[in-house]
Amino acid sequence: MTARVVAITGAHGALGSVVAKAAAEQGARVALIDHGQHPPPGLVEACGAEALTLGGVDLTDAAAAGAAIDAVVARFGGLDVLINIAGGFTWQTLADSGADSWTAMFRINLLTATNASRAAIPHLKASGAGRIVNIGANGAVKAAAGMGPYAAAKAGVHRLTESLAEELKGDGVTVNAVLPSIIDTPVNRLDLPDADFATWVSPVELAAVILFLASPQASAVTGALIPVTGRV
């Protein structure tokens, strides 16, 4: 990843911050894009003096997503990798949910990835080894009860990944997605206190797969939906 320019959406979150730190450790120049205004303590320092922080970005707005990507290119002179981590989760049965739940999951999970990817495409083509890595969900392969809004949105991410991979396969740009099960984050531990956390996939493990897909070594992999499910 040495000297590669990596833009990460949802970079302030539990997974995004781990991916950002790991990318920086491998020599990448990192742009941290998030809806939140302020990164967690220590994140920017861990990503190095060159790190670019873009807070308060509403990626559900195409113009805002475009402006964020333009800022990354202006800072670093190009873009090699886009990692779409921005997203959210809700558990609601259809009977108890309203249209707002479905709209929110669509906007947070699918529209953010769509807008960021669209803005990044010209720059990733210019890279010669452009990469897009999306975050899908194992729970969207076969959805359980209460997973409808989230799983439907993440299934859209899966189809976006496959379609965009076909669209860009002649341009040197690969598009793949990882499909985690339950990620071992503080929030998930609070929500499921009786679970066996040792079976969950850790952010570090997931980041390793993401960064492989973002690397030049993964040039032959595109359109893949890769389960990263730990031992669930």
Side-chain angles (χ1 to χ4, degrees):
M1 299 297 291
T2 300
R4 284 172 69 76
V5 178
V6 179
I8 302 167
T9 74
H12 297 179
L15 176 60
S17 59
V18 170
V19 172
K21 291 174 185 177
E25 288 173 359
Q26 293 184 25
R29 295 177 289 171
V30 178
L32 309 169
I33 303 172
D34 202 278
H35 189 263
Q37 289 284 354
H38 305 292
L43 175 59
V44 176
E45 293 79 3
C47 291
E50 278 195 294
L52 173 64
T53 302
L54 297 169
V57 180
D58 180 6
L59 293 170
T60 67
D61 179 81
I69 296 299
D70 287 346
V72 175
V73 174
R75 171 67 172 273
F76 296 113
L79 177 64
D80 301 299
V81 178
L82 173 65
I83 303 175
N84 286 310
I85 298 178
F89 174 80
T90 188
W91 189 99
Q92 284 188 315
T93 63
L94 181 60
D96 293 331
S97 67
D100 54 343
S101 297
W102 295 78
T103 300
M105 286 296 97
F106 169 85
R107 289 175 61 81
I108 295 169
N109 291 291
L110 180 55
L111 192 57
T112 55
T114 301
N115 286 338
S117 297
R118 184 189 299 109
I121 283 172
H123 309 292
L124 296 174
K125 287 181 178 180
S127 164
R131 304 283 183 266
I132 297 175
V133 184
N134 294 323
I135 308 300
N138 192 60
V141 177
K142 186 180 188 304
M147 296 284 285
Y150 174 77
K154 285 298 191 181
V157 173
H158 299 177
R159 303 292 81 81
L160 170 67
T161 300
E162 294 168 335
S163 176
L164 195 51
E166 288 297 306
E167 184 177 327
L168 298 175
K169 67 181 181 181
D171 296 303
V173 179
T174 68
V175 188
N176 296 288
V178 294
L179 278 56
S181 54
I182 303 176
I183 304 174
D184 188 4
T185 67
V187 170
N188 285 339
R189 288 191 176 210
L190 285 174
D191 289 343
L192 297 166
D194 297 325
D196 181 1
F197 307 140
T199 66
W200 295 356
V201 61
S202 75
V204 170
E205 291 172 320
L206 189 54
V209 181
I210 291 169
L211 290 181
F212 168 70
L213 294 172
S215 73
Q217 287 72 28
S219 60
V221 183
T222 195
L225 308 175
I226 300 177
V228 187
T229 55
R231 287 140 301 276
V232 172

